Amino acid sequence: MAAALIPALAPDQPHLLRLPEGMGSASALEEVHQTLRQSSLQGPVALECGDWLLRVPELRDLEQLLQRHGLKLRRISGHSPGTLVAAAALGLDHGRSRPVNGSGSNATASGSSDPLTVHRGTLRSGDHLQVEGSVLLLGDVNPGARISAGGHVLVWGRLRGMAHAGCSGDRSARIVALQLRPLQLRIADAVARGPEEPPPAGLAEEALLVDGTIRIDPASPGWPLLQ
Amino acid sequence: MTSTSPRIILICSGKGGVGKTTLTANLGIALARLGERTAVLDADFGLRNLDLLLGLENRIVYTAQEVLAGTCRLEQALVKHKLQPNLSLLPAGNPRMLEWLTPEDMKKIVALLAERSDYVLIDCPAGIEDGFKNAAAAAQEAIVITTPEVSAVRDADRVIGLLNVQGIQPVQLVLNRVRPKMVASQEMLSVDDVTDILALPLLGLVVEDEQVIVSTNRGEPLTLQGAPSPAGQAYLNVAQRLRGEDLPIVDPSKERTGLRARLKRILKTRLF
């Protein structure tokens, strides 16, 4: 089962290249190579990675392979946060795609329309994790790093960088962290600098929008996605 | 000799002037003294000075550039250290011709070096642009060096993120130019502050040491000496830990507060 190359519907749209769902022994590069051999399409192409985890070297190789066939890599989408971070590192347009089948059950468990993205690992200076729904980060957000979500931002760790909840205008979005000491907080269109004094030890905190300004409280015990 | 595959280690920091080249030179000498065939590669092509620190500037005939072009063999370009023949330096190319190097060139050079070495140390240029990407292309593991300053730590954090994305593992940390007194009086970031943010295994801790400047100017790395100064000893320890020896890391800012340690030190100074 090789990758599928679906021609664009309109001339100004990119073609769609979809990696196979089942990850066999073949690498993504081999899968794409096989598909391209039977095709003569040219122009921009959007890559749908599904569950594939592609790092910078692999993405770079893919980009070069596509280029040799007259195709230009325009955009990358997928479910694996690692792939999206790598795409961002290469300066490519990227976004999270919705899981196609029931395998993404965690996306609907909250009962809301917001899917939840879980990302493991620390965001380091210069990293930017952006998701459409809510995000749960298992790790720290270091100074200089950014995390933003259309819904809530939940950090199981230390938040010392910048966080933006409710990117697309949701003013009820919250930012929750085990240790909340960000450089800057944003909820919807409100901006606040992080507090200067050291955090109370052992107390998870949350930031929410009250009358247009961002307020920090001890975290409420409820899981915000259920509210 | 050894049957294990050579270790190709990138030495990088992001910020300039925190001690990449000094670490590369001292670590190279230390590993050579421990009997490892070590090659050091200056990947800072624009502002090369690894040869200066090793005192080998006047012995350079050919460079990596000529090796790649095929005008000389690798053996001709490699400069052996006078006192530690286990250590050889592959000089960087002509600083005026920066465009010639690509990640593929780097991989070729490193593969050549790896054939004849136990350790290949790559001295990375400052920054995270093409120079860094070239240097990182061929590396398997990395040592990130930083000083206890906010800007150096921030840049190191960025570099660690880039190394992770490139799939370079393991990444270890060397903390350089620590001033125990300033740490104790909380005027400087402590070891814990730094490891807290960077979350990397600590490979070594080097205290501020004036001898580093002297040795740099002389072109004689500290690790050459029989009884090295504090920083020299720290570099030796880094080499030993890199080879898998389990040496405890002593935090000098905490050590001096211990009453027993202070007593011991007084006793030592009285006795000798």
Side-chain angles (χ1 to χ4, degrees):
Chain A
M1 186 170 64
L5 184 58
I6 303 158
L9 295 174
D12 56 333
Q13 278 182 351
H15 310 300
L16 179 67
L17 180 60
R18 182 178 288 149
L19 294 180
E21 260 172 55
M23 275 179 267
S25 53
S27 72
L29 196 68
E30 286 160 2
E31 301 275 15
V32 172
H33 189 70
Q34 249 184 12
T35 307
L36 291 185
R37 243 188 283 165
Q38 303 148 9
S39 141
S40 57
L41 283 176
Q42 306 235 314
V45 59
L47 180 65
E48 163 58 58
C49 302
D51 292 323
W52 288 76
L53 171 60
L54 301 175
R55 301 262 179 214
V56 165
E58 292 151 291
L59 283 180
R60 202 178 283 145
D61 289 348
L62 266 177
E63 194 177 14
Q64 283 167 358
L65 174 68
L66 289 169
Q67 207 158 26
R68 282 200 294 279
H69 285 85
L71 292 161
K72 173 129 186 49
L73 189 55
R74 222 0 132 57
R75 181 182 158 81
I76 290 184
S77 55
H79 316 316
S80 164
T83 304
L84 300 183
V85 169
L90 282 174
L92 291 163
D93 184 21
H94 60 282
R96 188 175 189 278
S97 54
R98 279 160 197 273
V100 268
N101 51 21
S103 69
S105 55
N106 60 347
T108 49
S110 67
S112 73
S113 58
D114 272 5
L116 173 69
T117 305
V118 180
H119 179 74
R120 272 169 215 274
T122 292
L123 295 184
R124 296 187 178 272
S125 176
D127 290 344
H128 184 188
L129 178 63
Q130 183 166 23
V131 302
E132 280 175 29
S134 292
V135 62
L136 170 61
L137 180 81
L138 305 174
D140 295 346
V141 180
N142 277 359
R146 285 176 69 182
I147 183 167
S148 42
H152 306 292
V153 173
L154 314 167
V155 178
W156 190 268
R158 288 169 286 213
L159 172 54
R160 291 183 284 207
M162 210 197 102
H164 191 175
C167 276
S168 35
D170 179 4
R171 300 171 69 85
S172 66
R174 296 172 186 208
I175 300 167
V176 189
L178 292 188
Q179 196 191 85
L180 191 68
R181 277 304 163 268
L183 292 172
Q184 201 186 80
L185 285 177
R186 296 184 189 182
I187 296 175
D189 49 0
V191 182
R193 267 179 295 126
E196 305 264 318
E197 66 274 19
L203 183 65
E205 292 181 297
E206 68 178 356
L208 64 171
L209 208 53
V210 178
D211 301 330
T213 54
I214 295 176
R215 201 174 82 192
I216 295 180
D217 287 336
S220 53
W223 178 246
L225 294 179
L226 292 175
Q227 289 165 6
Chain B
M1 306 218 178
T2 48
S3 56
T4 50
S5 55
R7 292 176 67 179
I8 299 162
I9 306 175
L10 180 72
I11 294 173
C12 55
S13 68
K15 188 173 181 296
V18 296
K20 288 178 295 295
T21 308
T22 311
L23 175 67
T24 311
N26 280 288
L27 194 55
I29 295 277
L31 285 168
R33 276 184 65 174
L34 294 167
E36 306 282 5
R37 295 169 303 160
T38 308
V40 290
L41 170 61
D42 193 348
D44 197 347
F45 290 87
L47 302 164
R48 61 182 222 201
N49 41 29
L50 185 56
D51 46 342
L52 289 177
L53 265 69
L54 286 165
L56 298 175
E57 190 188 15
N58 52 10
R59 300 184 172 214
I60 294 175
V61 183
Y62 296 109
T63 65
Q65 198 174 354
E66 278 97 18
V67 178
L68 273 176
T71 33
C72 78
R73 284 173 293 114
L74 177 68
E75 288 73 19
Q76 291 175 294
L78 278 176
V79 186
K80 269 203 177 125
H81 196 268
K82 319 160 256 204
L83 304 172
Q84 285 298 335
N86 271 338
L87 178 77
S88 37
L89 163 79
L90 184 60
N94 184 340
R96 268 178 248 157
M97 297 182 61
L98 293 175
E99 299 80 36
W100 65 276
L101 192 99
T102 65
E104 275 62 44
D105 294 332
M106 199 69 188
K107 283 180 192 163
K108 263 185 238 164
I109 296 180
V110 171
L112 285 174
L113 286 173
E115 278 172 25
R116 39 172 301 143
S117 322
D118 302 317
Y119 283 84
V120 178
L121 306 180
I122 306 171
D123 182 21
C124 183
I128 52 168
E129 292 80 27
D130 286 350
F132 168 78
K133 285 174 191 154
N134 282 335
Q140 293 164 346
E141 52 183 302
I143 298 176
V144 172
I145 181 163
T146 187
T147 57
E149 289 162 74
V150 176
S151 55
V153 172
R154 183 72 63 91
D155 293 359
D157 194 39
R158 178 100 173 89
V159 162
I160 296 161
L162 294 174
L163 291 173
N164 286 347
V165 171
Q166 298 245 2
I168 294 177
Q169 278 285 353
V171 181
Q172 302 183 87
L173 181 70
V174 170
L175 188 55
N176 200 14
R177 308 192 66 171
V178 178
R179 296 172 184 232
K181 272 187 192 165
M182 288 184 73
V183 173
S185 60
Q186 299 195 330
E187 291 171 305
M188 188 177 234
L189 294 179
S190 74
V191 180
D192 290 342
D193 290 339
V194 175
T195 51
D196 215 33
I197 289 183
L198 299 183
L200 289 186
L202 193 60
L203 186 66
L205 204 156
V206 186
V207 289
E208 179 86 353
D209 183 350
E210 288 176 358
Q211 288 303 312
V212 172
I213 300 170
V214 179
S215 83
T216 300
N217 291 341
R218 278 207 201 128
E220 295 169 4
L222 288 171
T223 41
L224 268 178
Q225 299 162 5
S229 71
Q233 187 58 48
Y235 289 127
L236 271 177
N237 291 347
V238 169
Q240 287 165 315
R241 288 189 200 105
L242 205 55
R243 295 175 80 222
E245 284 178 48
D246 186 21
L247 291 175
I249 293 182
V250 186
D251 186 341
S253 58
K254 285 181 182 159
E255 190 199 30
R256 45 188 304 120
T257 54
L259 185 66
R260 186 177 291 181
R262 213 180 292 168
L263 262 172
K264 240 187 211 167
R265 198 168 307 145
I266 293 170
L267 279 175
K268 256 189 194 166
T269 46
R270 292 274 158 84
L271 283 173
F272 303 108

